[in-house]
Amino acid sequence: MEIGTAEIIPEKKGKSQGSTTLSSGMSGSKGGGKRGPGGGGSDGGDLPDNDRSEPELTLASKKLRVAMWFLLLVVLMTFGGLIAAYVVISTNGVLEWKPFDLPVQVWISTALILASSVSYKLAQRALNSDDQKKSKKWLLATTILGGAFISSQILLWLVLFRRGVYVQSNPYAGFFYILTAVHAAHVLGGIIALGNVVLRTWHETSSDEELSERKNIVKSVGWYWHFMDALWLLLVLLLGLYK
């Protein structure tokens, strides 16, 4: 009995050692499939650089975007109502409807606001390329062009006053003053926003978080500025062609 027992015990130990060796080999082979090029183990959570998504928006950026979309919706509804009233009255054929030729200042204003839209696009492109100095210059140019647009609008109204065209002259003149004045007020709000952007980006930063925040702000304000540009072109076509 002792001999038999002695023979069984080594056999069990051998099987146990074999199982241990097999388990170690299997775990080693599994772990080996996850090893990186440097030989160290990888947890499988790291992604290549080209698979990493862009950093998420901060709470402030999200709030700014929501506020900007809401503001654009309000502006769209406001001008939609005014334009609809203009179209209805202009098609009634009333005798009081007396259109006039658009002064040259209208085309000067158009050139200025188009140039400001282009300069803003260049500023945004420079900022996305991390060229902060160039971006600041283009943002400053956009602000100046926006101020020049407002000045051109004031000259436009003065020219019409000298011609004897007033709000109460006829419905067309009234709509002309109202549409251009409401648009100028919204552009003035855009200039204030641009001034804040210029101050925010005046000094260069090495913080990735701050740079990302600036890009988000410039993008949101850009929606508003380009919308004002497109709206002005619509007003010019409406007042100049649809009389």
Side-chain angles (χ1 to χ4, degrees):
M1 294 299 291
E2 292 180 358
I3 297 175
T5 304
E7 291 177 353
I8 293 172
I9 292 174
E11 183 179 356
K12 288 183 178 180
K13 288 182 178 180
K15 290 181 179 179
S16 176
Q17 291 175 355
S19 301
T20 305
T21 306
L22 179 61
S23 300
S24 301
M26 291 177 63
S27 61
S29 62
K30 289 180 181 179
K34 295 182 181 180
R35 293 183 182 274
S42 172
D43 58 1
D46 295 335
L47 295 176
D49 292 339
N50 54 358
D51 291 338
R52 291 176 182 172
S53 58
E54 296 180 357
E56 295 183 0
L57 296 175
T58 62
L59 182 60
S61 296
K62 291 180 180 179
K63 289 182 177 180
L64 177 60
R65 290 198 175 189
V66 172
M68 190 61 66
W69 281 114
F70 178 77
L71 178 60
L72 291 178
L73 180 60
V74 172
V75 173
L76 184 61
M77 293 175 64
T78 301
F79 279 93
L82 292 173
I83 291 174
Y86 175 93
V87 172
V88 170
I89 295 178
S90 64
T91 54
N92 285 338
V94 294
L95 295 177
E96 293 81 6
W97 187 264
K98 298 178 181 179
F100 50 81
D101 293 333
L102 299 182
V104 66
Q105 281 76 16
V106 171
W107 310 113
I108 295 176
S109 298
T110 303
L112 288 172
I113 200 168
L114 285 175
S116 70
S117 190
V118 172
S119 63
Y120 194 95
K121 191 67 178 178
L122 293 173
Q124 187 175 3
R125 182 179 300 177
L127 186 61
N128 290 335
S129 300
D130 295 336
D131 192 346
Q132 300 180 49
K133 187 176 182 180
K134 186 176 181 180
S135 176
K136 181 182 71 175
K137 291 180 179 180
W138 284 117
L139 285 172
L140 186 60
T142 304
T143 307
I144 294 174
L145 288 170
F149 173 84
I150 297 297
S151 301
S152 178
Q153 291 296 93
I154 295 174
L155 291 176
L156 168 63
W157 298 328
L158 290 176
V159 168
L160 292 178
F161 287 159
R162 292 174 183 174
R163 291 184 183 179
V165 180
Y166 306 105
V167 176
Q168 65 274 19
S169 299
N170 66 80
Y172 176 82
F175 273 108
F176 185 92
Y177 280 112
I178 292 173
L179 288 172
T180 55
V182 173
H183 180 268
H186 285 85
V187 172
L188 186 59
I191 293 174
I192 295 174
L194 274 174
N196 291 329
V197 173
V198 171
L199 291 177
R200 179 79 181 256
T201 60
W202 191 260
H203 298 288
E204 298 184 18
T205 179
S206 58
S207 171
D208 292 337
E209 183 178 355
E210 172 63 19
L211 187 58
S212 178
E213 189 73 12
R214 292 181 181 183
K215 291 178 181 179
N216 291 326
I217 293 174
V218 170
K219 185 176 183 179
S220 298
V221 176
W223 293 341
Y224 182 86
W225 193 258
H226 295 312
F227 184 80
M228 288 297 106
D229 185 358
L231 185 58
W232 173 255
L233 294 178
L234 177 62
L235 293 180
V236 170
L237 291 176
L238 184 70
L239 295 169
L241 300 179
Y242 197 85
K243 298 181 180 181

